[in-house]
Amino acid sequence: MNDAYKTINQTLVGLFNEIMELEEKALTGSSFTDLTNNDMHVIEAIGLEEGNNMSKIAKKLNITVGSLTTAMNSLVNKKYVVRKRSEVDRRVVYVKLTEKGIQAFLHHEEYHKKMTEAILEKLSEEEIPVLVKTLDALTDFFNAY
């Protein structure tokens, strides 16, 4: 293995672990201590707009509707989410963030904003497209894997 490969591999693995750990610390240092990282990612996938159904959210998270149902039960019990069955098709369940859920979403969004700004402030205008291209390649890898 050459040095560039080792460096990139170590950096990617380290970044992934650090991001997960820091996201957890951001939650535990807030008023949302009852949320897990997984809970927060479900809240993020629900988003602020209306009309999200379970199938759409599960697809966005790349999980089964059954797995999402388990996570959703917890979020409903914690009062971050409300569910409502469709009047037209009772099989369809819509979910929406409560005011508490919206506050958690905004808190998480602020964490992501700070993380992104910390990166962008270190880069020149010429370096930003290179980073975007690199991240696109990484995204393509994950989507194809």
Side-chain angles (χ1 to χ4, degrees):
M1 269 189 253
N2 64 36
D3 289 342
Y5 175 90
K6 284 182 187 176
T7 301
I8 291 169
N9 184 55
Q10 287 173 343
T11 301
L12 288 174
V13 171
L15 277 174
F16 177 79
N17 291 331
E18 286 181 46
I19 288 170
M20 294 301 285
E21 187 178 318
L22 288 173
E23 278 190 327
E24 197 160 315
K25 282 181 185 173
L27 287 174
T28 57
S30 71
S31 57
F32 307 106
T33 55
D34 58 339
L35 292 176
T36 65
N37 274 351
N38 287 341
D39 289 339
M40 190 54 84
H41 291 131
V42 172
I43 287 171
E44 185 177 38
I46 294 168
L48 299 177
E49 66 269 357
E50 303 266 336
N52 276 318
N53 65 44
M54 294 285 282
S55 297
K56 242 194 236 183
I57 295 164
K59 186 174 182 178
K60 204 185 268 190
L61 292 168
N62 203 23
I63 60 174
T64 66
V65 174
S67 294
L68 180 60
T69 299
T70 302
M72 208 58 76
N73 289 340
S74 173
L75 289 171
V76 167
N77 289 337
K78 294 174 186 178
K79 310 240 186 290
Y80 286 95
V81 175
V82 290
R83 280 188 274 225
K84 185 178 181 198
R85 288 209 176 268
S86 169
E87 297 295 323
V88 177
D89 183 348
R90 303 290 293 159
R91 296 170 299 175
V92 178
V93 177
Y94 292 102
V95 294
K96 176 180 155 184
L97 297 177
T98 62
E99 186 57 40
K100 186 178 178 183
I102 291 169
Q103 292 307 312
F105 177 93
L106 295 174
H107 174 78
H108 191 65
E109 186 177 59
E110 182 63 23
Y111 166 78
H112 280 234
K113 182 180 175 201
K114 286 178 183 175
M115 181 174 61
T116 303
E117 287 173 350
I119 294 166
L120 290 175
E121 71 184 22
K122 303 266 186 196
L123 299 175
S124 69
E125 289 297 318
E126 297 79 30
E127 292 170 318
I128 293 172
V130 175
L131 176 60
V132 170
K133 184 177 180 181
T134 303
L135 293 174
D136 282 345
L138 193 55
T139 299
D140 289 345
F141 168 78
F142 286 129
N143 287 337
Y145 195 72

